Amino acid sequence: MVAVALLVVALALTLDGLGRWLAAGGGAALAAAAAWAALEARRRERRLVRLAAVGQALAAGRPATPSGESADDALGRLGRALDDLSRRLAGTGRPPTVGDAGLHDPLTGLPNRRLFQELLGKQIAQARRSGELLGLVLCDLDDLQGINESYGHEFGDRLLQAVGQRLSGDIREADSIARTGEDEFTLLLGRAQAAEDIHQVAERLMAGFRKPFEVGDAQIAIAASIGVSLFPRDAADGDRLIDAAEAALAAAKRQGGSAVRAYSTSMEQGRRRRGVLAQELRVALRDDQLCLYFQPQISLTDGRLVGSEALVRWRHPERGLIPAGGFIPAAEAAGLMPELGRWLMREVCRQNAAWRAAGARRLPVSVNVSGRQFQSGDVAEVVEEALEASGLEPDGLQLEITESIALGNFERISATLFRLQADGVKIHLDDFGTGYSSLSYLLRFPVDVLKIDRSFVAGVPASRHGASIVRATLSLARSLGLAVVAEGVEEPEQLRFLQAEGCAAVQGYLLGRPAPVREFERLMADGGVDLAALLTA
Ligand code: C2E
Ligand code: CA
Ligand code: CA
């Protein structure tokens, strides 16, 4: 126990060292360090929760930590052992149930979906008579699955109870609350005077999630997304009122979670559009309307082509060529990403294997893998299968991940990435610096290359802010032994700045736009670009 605690302290000190080093890098790095410190505090909090639980397990006679293990490994291993134990205990240790099990959720004792629908029907009938306003608030926890997987289901259950209690405490007599899904609570706010009152309650509920919840001796933070709809403004009956709140909730989630959104009619139009798009996309997959474009990555030492990024395009029969940004989000929302991702991976591997077989220089191709693909849980199989089917050597494939993958289970994703890296596939951290947890990703995931986001590149050299972020990222990468690709390079002065700062590789419209296969092959035959000409342009 003491050994584990000491390891944790040692790890924390190393991380503090990194924080200090970053702080020395200037104002931008200071902001990054502050975000880092906040994240570290949360990580340490999680570790302590695990430690406390591990202590209990040890006290119950479980074996102690073998020496020579890193703190992360020890805690991970012990955490998993404990999760198993909690799962086994979960069958016997459930809290007593409240009310009629057919109408109440046995875990929280709150009304279940069935009872809630009855209640909603009655309240709507009453509101129709009285002309009062009703508010429906859907509250969905952002990462219960991750908590279940990290701390065990019993812990997750107790967290749900704590959330239910806090939400119940935050509402008035005229309001009701139900647990309507695995990680979803629904509140019905009655007798409101104005829409504003209901929005205030929703904001107050959201503020409740900024304070940690107590589970046993532990304090744990969990975020939620909230969708709000109003009767009679947004819907004429109960079912449609729920639909409207769901559309608002989906909009809050699309925003990245931890947000409150009220229903608006544009959401309905957006939903219909996405529905149509998803339907067409299924046809596109079937009818081969998707294709790959390749954007060159260029060495800043000599202008040689060092690789490319595959970007998907849709040759739409009526609307022409649609870039990835125009349909990937819809594909994600429609749950089409696993299918689309499998196609993409096969196609990239097939293409690169064909290039290599034709005697072209052996270059790697990067493929973007979205969070949704990781959530479906078979990324490693998809990649391995695509490599095998095409015969492409693993050094011909690189994966670009962003921190959106954190919405899934950290440990499982990390295991997938380690497995792929062991296969010989390189991992690139895309859009680096745009999310607040980028730094923690570097330590927890096996990353080989950082891609500096184009929003920072856009600012150099004119903006001091942009310039110091790019500099800080370059020196961070150097000290961690990582390669860097700066993306979104459009201007010669950006190129000059990046070269002067020692950035190794660049990607962007100045060097080459994403191009279809035949066009990209011409660049491959040239071997690269005339860097001197671009630098002096
Ligand atoms: P990303 O990974 O950041 O990809 C770079 C995007 O920036 C591409 O847009 C590219 O065309 C664009 N770009 C490249 N150079 C420049 C430049 O100099 N200036 C500007 N303004 N833009 C530049 P695209 O192809 O529309 O892709 C958008 C996003 O869609 C990508 O962002 C990526 O997150 C996603 N995506 C693209 N292809 C795939 C794919 O095959 N699978 C998955 N899962 N996502 C993809
Ligand atoms: Ca990318
Ligand atoms: Ca990017």
Coordinates of all heavy atoms in Angstrom, one line a residue, residues 309 368 400 402 430-432 451-454 487, ligand 3:
E309 N -2.0 12.2 -46.3 CA -3.2 11.9 -45.5 C -4.3 11.6 -46.5 O -4.6 12.3 -47.4 CB -3.5 13.1 -44.7 CG -4.8 12.9 -43.9 CD -5.2 14.0 -42.9 OE1 -4.4 15.0 -42.8 OE2 -6.2 13.9 -42.2
N368 N -7.7 8.9 -40.9 CA -8.3 9.4 -39.8 C -9.3 8.4 -39.2 O -10.0 7.7 -39.9 CB -9.2 10.6 -40.1 CG -8.3 11.8 -40.6 OD1 -7.7 12.5 -39.8 ND2 -8.2 12.0 -41.9
E400 N -4.6 8.5 -37.6 CA -4.7 9.8 -37.0 C -5.9 9.8 -36.0 O -7.0 9.5 -36.4 CB -5.0 10.9 -38.0 CG -3.8 11.1 -38.9 CD -3.7 12.4 -39.7 OE1 -4.7 13.3 -39.5 OE2 -2.8 12.6 -40.5
T402 N -8.0 11.8 -32.7 CA -8.1 13.1 -32.0 C -8.6 12.7 -30.6 O -8.9 11.6 -30.3 CB -9.2 14.0 -32.6 OG1 -10.4 13.3 -32.5 CG2 -8.9 14.2 -34.1
D430 N -3.9 14.0 -33.9 CA -4.4 15.1 -34.8 C -4.9 16.3 -34.0 O -5.2 16.2 -32.9 CB -5.5 14.5 -35.6 CG -5.8 15.2 -36.9 OD1 -5.0 16.1 -37.2 OD2 -6.7 14.7 -37.7
D431 N -4.9 17.4 -34.7 CA -5.5 18.6 -34.1 C -4.9 19.0 -32.7 O -5.6 19.4 -31.8 CB -7.0 18.5 -34.0 CG -7.7 18.2 -35.3 OD1 -7.1 18.4 -36.3 OD2 -8.8 17.7 -35.3
F432 N -3.6 18.7 -32.6 CA -3.0 18.8 -31.2 C -3.1 20.2 -30.7 O -2.9 21.2 -31.4 CB -1.5 18.4 -31.3 CG -0.9 18.5 -29.9 CD1 -1.2 17.5 -29.0 CD2 -0.1 19.5 -29.5 CE1 -0.6 17.5 -27.7 CE2 0.5 19.6 -28.3 CZ 0.2 18.6 -27.4
K451 N 0.3 16.4 -34.7 CA 0.0 17.2 -35.8 C -0.5 18.6 -35.2 O -1.5 18.6 -34.5 CB -1.1 16.6 -36.6 CG -0.6 15.4 -37.4 CD -1.6 15.0 -38.5 CE -1.5 15.8 -39.7 NZ -2.4 15.3 -40.8
I452 N 0.2 19.6 -35.5 CA -0.1 20.9 -34.9 C -1.4 21.4 -35.7 O -1.4 21.5 -36.9 CB 1.0 21.9 -35.1 CG1 2.3 21.4 -34.4 CG2 0.6 23.3 -34.5 CD1 3.4 22.4 -34.4
D453 N -2.4 21.7 -35.0 CA -3.7 22.1 -35.6 C -3.5 23.4 -36.5 O -2.8 24.3 -36.1 CB -4.7 22.3 -34.5 CG -6.1 22.5 -35.2 OD1 -6.6 21.5 -35.8 OD2 -6.7 23.6 -35.1
R454 N -4.3 23.4 -37.5 CA -4.2 24.5 -38.5 C -4.7 25.9 -37.9 O -4.3 26.9 -38.3 CB -4.9 24.2 -39.8 CG -6.4 24.1 -39.8 CD -6.9 24.1 -41.2 NE -8.3 24.0 -41.3 CZ -8.9 22.8 -41.3 NH1 -8.2 21.7 -41.3 NH2 -10.2 22.8 -41.3
E487 N -0.1 21.4 -39.8 CA -1.1 21.3 -40.9 C -1.7 22.6 -41.2 O -1.6 23.6 -40.4 CB -2.1 20.2 -40.6 CG -2.9 20.4 -39.4 CD -3.9 19.3 -39.1 OE1 -4.0 18.3 -39.9 OE2 -4.7 19.4 -38.2
Ligands
CA3 CA -6.3 17.9 -38.4

